[in-house]
Amino acid sequence: MAFQDGCQYSSLSVPFQRLRIIQVDSVRRWMDDLKLMTECECMCILQSKPIGKEEDAQSDLLLSSPGTAPSSLEILLKRAWIVSTELTKIVEKLMKSRWKRLHSMAIRVSCHVRSMLREYHSFNRPSTEEMHQFETLLMDKCSELTDVTERCALSEGDVTCPSLKLSINETLTSVGQYFSQLINLALTQEIKSLVAELNACDNIYSMEAAICSLYSLTQEGSRLCSLVAQEDAVVALFKICRQDCFRCLHSPALRTLASLCGVEEGLCQMEKVDGILCLTDMLTDETQPEATRAEVAAVIAQITSPHLQFTQHLSSFLENMEEIVTALLRLCKEASCGEVCLLASAALANVTFFDTLACEMLLQMGAMKILLNACADKQRIDTSFARDQIVTILANLSVLEQGAPEFVQENGVGTLMELLSEKSPSGRLSEISSCERVQQKAAVTLARLFRDPGVALSAIKLNCIPRLIKLCRSPDQRNNSDAVLVACLAALRRLATMYPEGLEDSDFKQLVKPRLVDSFLLCSNMEESFV
């Protein structure tokens, strides 16, 4: 019999109490599964399981930690993950024509499916007629898969295998379809139960547990987010957010809403319950904790994301935009930590994308000074991701001509020069990409502002031209980004038209005089060898 990873036969020599601690969970798991198998299947399982560690061992995992009682939802999700993993492995083995391994793996799938159904029903969850129908169909197809893989394993030659391969493919497809439909029905039942718990409003601890369960589901991808939203979870969560007696639940409820509002079903429900007005009230309520208002900012950042294809909710957002922008700017100014400032600035950045009115509002509210001061505050703006959001807002504000004088007054050029030197301290890919965006947007902002003579003169005094030239000629200075190169070339050309004597003759001939595409090709190929 196989033991969990890390347990060797030498474990048998340790005292009984230690042995029990190490192995009791894996043994109990196997004994529970044993009740659902025939003697023949048990023997197959024992003979096919190796003593050593191998790729199949990862599915023999524990479903609960010592001392914890998993919920029906946890059992369902973990068992579903195991079955999905096993089905994927069967497909891989089938593609490699490893026929003899298919039978033992088909038995494993059947056992896991039986265990999943038994454990789920042990929570006294009532099965609908449709669920019962799919359970029967799934188990029938699992038996059929076991039979057909057994015939394939017993086949002596390769003559019959091609025909069996087609049969296995068809059966495996049916198993996958019935399994997916059954899981969807079971998840829908679980979600309805969780939403009913929220609507009951009779126990704050069970409500908190229900919110946490819904949130964990939303982290499994957009498909599950849609499934949760379809069962009126958004309505129930906004109901909680509107009641002061549940203030302790507002943050987790808003965190869940931020995920749900990334899918169309969630936004439609938010529109039905006038969710924008609720968010506005919470954001502008100074008695709300900063953490709660930061979670509201996260929801706003989600629903105003430029990547969303559905915008039916934006009409009601525009009606409340001035209050929202004012509150977000205040939150960004008064943020006590980097995470709060990041969420507030991300929401502001998204808002400035879809309506220029938001940019005009921000300028009137003195946003330029607040944002530039924030860049100098390492407590509030402590990561390249936060600087990315700030420079995004500055880039969108730079479109408006009236912002240039304030920009010069607050030494905005100096701040952007610093952002042009953004580097990743960790070397992580996500952070490097963030640094590239910071550099690119800083250069774009400068290029837009250079139309104003005052900004251009300030940039020349701060030696902006040599810095832009270095970024164009040295790929490592721009994080090897072509997007940064294009933006720097555009900024350099704009500045050179106003101060041509600042460039050497070779720089002018290579970076300014040719077509932009020619200069780009020259700079992007500087490190290539044509030998």
Side-chain angles (χ1 to χ4, degrees):
M1 168 182 159
F3 296 95
Q4 292 291 323
D5 291 348
C7 295
Q8 306 294 332
Y9 272 119
S10 58
S11 300
L12 297 174
S13 61
V14 300
F16 174 78
Q17 187 62 29
R18 184 181 171 196
L19 173 67
R20 184 175 180 274
I21 292 173
I22 295 175
Q23 298 177 357
V24 66
D25 290 327
S26 57
V27 173
R28 184 186 296 120
R29 178 81 276 128
W30 177 73
M31 290 181 71
D32 287 343
D33 289 344
L34 188 62
K35 299 172 185 177
L36 306 170
M37 308 173 197
T38 64
E39 185 176 353
C40 176
E41 287 173 334
C42 289
M43 292 304 296
C44 289
I45 289 290
L46 289 172
Q47 290 170 9
S48 66
K49 288 177 75 175
I51 296 300
K53 177 181 177 182
E54 72 159 63
E55 60 184 54
D56 293 339
Q58 63 177 322
S59 61
D60 293 327
L61 47 78
L62 300 177
L63 293 183
S64 61
S65 302
T68 63
S71 66
S72 56
L73 183 60
E74 289 174 327
I75 289 290
L76 184 65
L77 288 175
K78 290 179 180 179
R79 277 292 184 185
W81 180 84
I82 292 173
V83 174
S84 298
T85 302
E86 291 295 331
L87 290 173
T88 302
K89 289 179 183 178
I90 291 179
V91 172
E92 292 172 354
K93 294 291 188 295
L94 188 61
M95 296 299 293
K96 295 177 182 178
S97 298
R98 295 177 64 179
W99 308 105
K100 292 188 177 180
R101 292 300 308 277
L102 292 180
H103 181 51
S104 62
M105 296 180 75
I107 294 175
R108 289 167 67 90
V109 168
S110 181
C111 293
H112 283 309
V113 169
R114 288 179 184 273
S115 296
M116 180 187 74
L117 295 177
R118 181 188 62 81
E119 290 183 326
Y120 184 67
H121 289 312
S122 70
F123 287 90
N124 297 319
R125 288 288 190 263
S127 288
T128 62
E129 184 178 344
E130 190 177 12
M131 282 184 66
H132 182 69
Q133 177 186 355
F134 278 112
E135 286 177 17
T136 303
L137 289 171
L138 177 59
M139 290 313 306
D140 288 346
K141 283 297 177 181
C142 283
S143 298
E144 186 178 330
L145 182 64
T146 302
D147 292 341
V148 71
T149 52
E150 184 179 19
R151 291 202 306 272
C152 188
L154 295 174
S155 176
E156 292 293 334
D158 294 332
V159 180
T160 58
C161 282
S163 60
L164 284 173
K165 185 174 182 178
L166 179 61
S167 179
I168 294 174
N169 262 325
E170 292 174 351
T171 308
L172 195 58
T173 300
S174 298
V175 169
Q177 289 174 347
Y178 291 144
F179 174 71
S180 296
Q181 290 170 310
L182 179 60
I183 291 297
N184 277 344
L185 289 172
L187 284 173
T188 300
Q189 183 172 265
E190 288 296 314
I191 293 167
K192 286 180 177 178
S193 176
L194 294 171
V195 173
E197 192 73 50
L198 296 182
N199 287 327
C201 297
D202 55 358
N203 186 314
I204 198 166
Y205 299 107
S206 60
M207 290 171 68
E208 183 179 16
I211 293 173
C212 291
S213 295
L214 287 174
Y215 176 74
S216 66
L217 281 175
T218 64
Q219 301 310 293
E220 298 294 328
S222 58
R223 188 183 68 83
L224 276 181
C225 282
S226 298
L227 204 62
V228 173
Q230 288 168 8
E231 300 304 324
D232 293 333
V234 174
V235 177
L237 290 168
F238 269 114
K239 180 182 174 182
I240 290 172
C241 290
R242 283 190 163 97
Q243 299 181 64
D244 281 343
C245 60
F246 294 131
R247 279 203 170 194
C248 61
L249 299 178
H250 285 179
S251 288
L254 288 164
R255 201 171 301 124
T256 308
L257 282 169
S259 298
L260 291 175
C261 289
V263 295
E264 189 169 6
E265 294 85 352
L267 285 174
C268 289
Q269 282 204 354
M270 183 189 71
E271 190 75 1
K272 288 179 182 177
V273 297
D274 206 2
I276 296 291
L277 182 59
C278 176
L279 295 174
T280 304
D281 291 340
M282 296 181 75
L283 189 62
T284 55
D285 184 359
E286 290 297 319
T287 65
Q288 288 280 4
E290 181 187 66
T292 301
R293 286 181 284 139
E295 295 293 351
V296 175
V299 179
I300 293 173
Q302 180 63 62
I303 65 178
T304 55
S305 172
H307 303 294
L308 291 182
Q309 302 298 317
F310 26 89
T311 57
Q312 68 271 18
H313 61 290
L314 294 183
S315 57
S316 59
F317 183 86
L318 291 172
E319 296 172 4
N320 298 278
M321 187 166 66
E322 185 172 1
E323 290 180 273
I324 291 173
V325 169
T326 303
L328 287 173
L329 188 61
R330 187 189 307 117
L331 185 61
C332 191
K333 180 181 179 180
E334 300 172 356
S336 62
C337 64
E339 185 178 359
V340 173
C341 194
L342 172 61
L343 293 172
S345 58
L348 278 175
N350 285 353
V351 171
T352 59
F353 271 112
F354 70 84
D355 200 292
T356 54
L357 181 60
C359 295
E360 294 174 5
M361 289 178 182
L362 283 169
L363 284 178
Q364 292 171 4
M365 296 171 189
M368 194 76 79
K369 180 178 181 179
I370 293 171
L371 296 173
L372 291 172
N373 287 341
C375 277
D377 187 347
K378 300 303 180 184
Q379 182 178 352
R380 284 185 290 162
I381 306 297
D382 55 351
T383 65
S384 60
F385 303 103
R387 284 186 283 275
D388 182 16
Q389 302 305 324
I390 295 292
V391 76
T392 298
I393 303 170
L394 293 174
N396 288 339
L397 292 179
S398 66
V399 175
L400 303 176
E401 294 184 4
Q402 57 266 40
E406 187 179 358
F407 192 82
V408 175
Q409 182 180 346
E410 300 298 334
N411 190 30
V413 175
T415 301
L416 291 176
M417 290 279 290
E418 292 177 9
L419 294 177
L420 284 175
S421 303
E422 190 77 9
K423 282 285 185 181
S424 167
S426 67
R428 292 196 302 268
L429 185 59
S430 60
E431 202 168 59
I432 292 173
S433 299
S434 178
C435 291
E436 291 175 15
R437 293 193 298 271
V438 170
Q439 287 185 303
Q440 180 193 10
K441 291 170 186 176
V444 167
T445 306
L446 285 171
R448 291 173 177 173
L449 289 167
F450 284 161
R451 64 177 178 269
D452 183 275
V455 178
L457 181 61
S458 176
I460 291 165
K461 290 179 179 178
L462 292 171
N463 295 318
C464 188
I465 288 179
R467 178 59 186 152
L468 289 172
I469 291 173
K470 191 172 184 179
L471 283 164
C472 291
R473 293 193 177 279
S474 304
D476 62 304
Q477 292 291 313
R478 60 174 188 266
N479 292 293
N480 298 291
S481 169
D482 288 342
V484 177
L485 171 59
V486 172
C488 289
L489 284 170
L492 182 63
R493 287 165 177 249
R494 179 68 68 89
L495 195 56
T497 57
M498 305 188 71
Y499 187 64
E501 58 270 24
L503 279 79
E504 294 182 7
D505 189 52
S506 60
D507 293 326
F508 184 82
K509 286 181 178 179
Q510 293 179 352
L511 304 178
V512 177
K513 188 176 180 180
R515 295 182 308 161
L516 180 62
V517 65
D518 293 331
S519 295
F520 168 78
L521 291 173
L522 174 69
C523 294
S524 62
N525 293 330
M526 277 186 172
E527 290 195 344
E528 292 186 12
S529 173
F530 298 94
V531 178

